[in-house]
């Protein structure tokens, strides 16, 4: 996986991180979501944006033949439950290790 692809896959996670700051500092981000309707629409958009790399990476994880099934399930649950944390970890640290294992 090239650097450009890694960056594209991790951008939604960083958008989610910054969007989560709204929960902690709502008055500072009032300009971003002036009404509850706008806030809910933005939540849906951020969720859908974060779903794209999760689907791609899960397909990639399950395509590895040499990887143990338990590791695949662990990453599946991590991606589904905490994608904003696990996607950057997988993309930048673990994917290259699994590619090396797959080539053996």
């Amino acid at each position: 996986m090239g650097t450009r692809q890694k960056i594209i896959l991790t951008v939604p996670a960083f958008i989610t991180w910054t969007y989560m700051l709204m929960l902690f500092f709502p008055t500072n981000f009032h300009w971003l979501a002036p009404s509850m309707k706008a806030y809910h629409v933005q939540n849906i958009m951020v969720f859908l944006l974060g779903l794209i790399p999760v689907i791609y990476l899960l397909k990639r994880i399950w395509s590895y033949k040499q990887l143990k099934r338990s590791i695949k399930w662990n990453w599946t649950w991590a991606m589904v439950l905490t994608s904003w944390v696990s996607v950057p970890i997988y993309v930048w640290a673990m994917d290259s290790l699994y590619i090396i294992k797959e080539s053996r």
Side-chain angles (χ1 to χ4, degrees):
M1 190 181 314
T3 305
R4 183 178 295 161
Q5 189 177 9
K6 288 180 179 182
I7 291 170
I8 290 171
L9 287 172
T10 54
V11 164
F14 288 116
I15 290 173
T16 304
W17 286 350
T18 56
Y19 195 74
M20 286 178 62
L21 288 174
M22 287 181 65
L23 297 173
F24 300 110
F25 307 106
T27 56
N28 294 343
F29 290 98
H30 182 70
W31 59 272
L32 189 59
S35 67
M36 285 306 290
K37 184 177 180 180
Y39 178 72
H40 290 303
V41 169
Q42 289 172 2
N43 274 339
I44 292 169
M45 296 297 284
V46 168
F47 172 74
L48 292 176
L49 182 67
L51 201 58
I52 295 168
V54 170
I55 291 170
Y56 173 77
L57 290 174
L58 286 177
K59 184 178 175 185
R60 186 176 173 98
I61 289 169
W62 284 92
S63 71
Y64 294 139
K65 303 291 184 215
Q66 302 295 328
L67 201 57
K68 290 182 183 178
R69 196 170 171 91
S70 62
I71 294 173
K72 292 178 184 180
W73 276 111
N74 288 342
W75 276 110
T76 299
W77 285 114
M79 297 253 185
V80 169
L81 297 176
T82 60
S83 64
W84 55 279
V85 174
S86 60
V87 166
I89 292 171
Y90 177 81
V91 167
W92 290 98
M94 302 306 293
D95 190 62
S96 58
L97 294 175
Y98 295 151
I99 290 173
I100 292 170
K101 281 185 181 180
E102 189 69 22
S103 65
R104 288 183 187 172

